[in-house]
């Protein structure tokens, strides 16, 4: 009996490996597998302007995505991901933004977005801004997400200046000439002259200004800060930096109106000029004329 039992057991043991070998193993389910490739701005970005970051998310797996893919773009504050092309809904958070790629990204297909990275005007020039982009797809074997770093550099600042003669402001901007200067014969009046920075950046370089007051007036009192009187009606002014982005610096020289003038007389000849500014090329906005009306 014992011998017969052992013989039967040996037959079972010998047959099992052969039987197991003939049973095929189940193939793993086909899945989507994502990769992220980036093309950062090729040239330095002026603070106050945008650079384009191209994001390419490719499905390198054997199956289409069955759920949405979350793409997270880290871009350090105070910059912001301003827009995307093709348009896509952006969800903003403290250090960047995110958007979704709908399900159905086919094997070998690529979803491309061109993101406008807005570099804040207060960002210093000649620095490197670093960030990364991550793609998260729940069905991808790599659940940690796929990350690609990028970097861009900032260019020198660029400020565009406008000059004017007026004490009026509208919508947060000074109102250009004609000015609103009036005074009686023999009166002392202040001339609210301004240099405005229309951007896109903060001004970080020196700005030189030349002022001539109207005819039949004479400078009086202390010269405005940064200015030196070079004649009875002329001032030259030097400022180490210009005004901040979307702000103005006021130069308020005081003048005495000639007592011999008469009410209703218009005193022409006032001029205001930016004569040197590294950030901005000379333009008509650098010059204005103004007058004082005797009342």
């Amino acid at each position: 009996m014992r011998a017969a039992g052992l013989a039967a057991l040996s037959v079972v043991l010998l047959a099992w490996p052969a039987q197991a070998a003939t049973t095929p193993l189940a193939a793993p389910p086909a899945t989507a597998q994502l990769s992220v490739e980036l093309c950062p701005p090729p040239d330095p970005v002026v603070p106050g302007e945008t650079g384009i970051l191209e994001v390419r998310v490719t499905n390198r797996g054997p199956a289409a995505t069955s759920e949405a893919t979350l793409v997270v773009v880290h871009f350090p504050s105070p910059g912001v991901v301003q827009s995307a092309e093709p348009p896509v809904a952006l969800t903003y958070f403290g250090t960047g933004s995110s958007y979704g790629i709908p399900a159905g990204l086919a094997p070998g297909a690529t979803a491309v977005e061109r993101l406008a990275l807005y570099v804040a005007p207060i960002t210093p020039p000649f620095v490197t801004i670093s960030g990364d982009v991550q793609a998260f797809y729940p069905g991808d074997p790599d659940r940690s997400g796929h990350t690609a770093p990028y970097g861009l550099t900032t260019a020198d600042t660029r400020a565009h200046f406008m000059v004017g003669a007026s004490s009026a402001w509208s919508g947060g901007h000074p109102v250009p000439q004609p000015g609103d200067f009036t005074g009686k014969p023999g009166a002392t009046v202040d001339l609210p002259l301004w240099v405005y920075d229309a951007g896109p950046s903060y001004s970080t370089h020196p700005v030189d200004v030349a002022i001539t007051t109207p005819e039949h007036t004479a400078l009086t009192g202390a010269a405005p800060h940064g200015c030196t009187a070079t004649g009875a009606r002329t001032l030259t002014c030097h400022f180490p930096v210009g005004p901040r982005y979307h702000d103005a610096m006021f130069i308020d020289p005081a003048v005495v109106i000639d007592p011999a003038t008469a009410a209703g007389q218009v005193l022409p000849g006032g001029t205001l000029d930016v004569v040197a500014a590294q950030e901005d090329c000379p333009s008509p906005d650098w010059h204005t004329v103004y007058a004082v009306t005797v009342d």
Side-chain angles (χ1 to χ4, degrees):
M1 289 291 292
R2 183 178 180 184
L6 292 174
L9 179 60
S10 66
V11 171
V12 172
L13 293 175
L14 289 172
W16 180 78
Q19 184 177 6
T22 60
T23 303
L25 297 176
T31 59
Q33 298 178 19
L34 304 182
S35 68
V36 179
E37 297 173 319
L38 306 177
C39 182
D43 300 315
V45 180
V46 174
E49 296 186 345
T50 59
I52 300 300
L53 173 67
E54 185 174 280
V55 178
R56 304 175 65 88
V57 178
T58 302
N59 180 2
R60 302 195 183 279
T65 57
S66 58
E67 301 180 58
T69 299
L70 176 66
V71 180
V72 179
V73 182
H74 291 104
F75 184 53
S77 178
V80 65
V81 183
Q82 195 170 58
S83 62
E85 180 62 38
V88 67
L90 295 170
T91 300
Y92 297 95
F93 54 90
T95 57
S97 65
S98 64
Y99 65 91
I101 300 174
L105 187 64
T110 300
V112 181
E113 288 291 346
R114 290 170 55 81
L115 304 176
L117 305 182
Y118 176 71
V119 178
I122 61 174
T123 307
F126 312 122
V127 299
T128 298
I129 299 175
S130 299
D132 61 58
V133 177
Q134 295 176 284
F136 295 92
Y137 172 63
D140 196 317
D142 182 359
R143 298 296 183 89
S144 64
H146 299 270
T147 303
Y150 72 89
L152 62 88
T153 58
T154 60
D156 200 359
T157 58
R158 186 164 69 222
H160 174 65
F161 299 113
M162 302 170 61
V163 296
S166 172
S167 61
W169 280 63
S170 176
H173 296 74
V175 178
Q177 83 267 351
D180 56 350
F181 306 137
T182 60
K184 297 186 180 301
T188 297
V189 296
D190 291 326
L191 308 180
L193 311 177
W194 48 260
V195 178
Y196 178 75
D197 179 1
S201 299
Y202 276 48
S203 171
T204 62
H205 295 290
V207 175
D208 293 297
V209 178
I211 297 169
T212 300
T213 68
E215 298 172 7
H216 303 292
T217 68
L219 291 164
T220 186
H225 175 72
C227 298
T228 301
T230 55
R233 295 173 47 219
T234 56
L235 291 164
T236 58
C237 309
H238 176 80
F239 305 99
V241 296
R244 295 162 63 90
Y245 171 61
H246 278 186
D247 202 356
M249 58 184 184
F250 281 90
I251 308 169
D252 298 296
V255 295
V256 175
I257 299 175
D258 187 343
T261 58
Q265 187 175 351
V266 177
L267 311 180
T271 61
L272 170 63
D273 293 271
V274 172
V275 295
Q278 184 170 330
E279 292 115 330
D280 194 7
C281 294
S283 74
D285 292 335
W286 278 23
H287 171 79
T288 192
V289 298
Y290 64 98
V292 168
T293 301
V294 181
D295 60 9

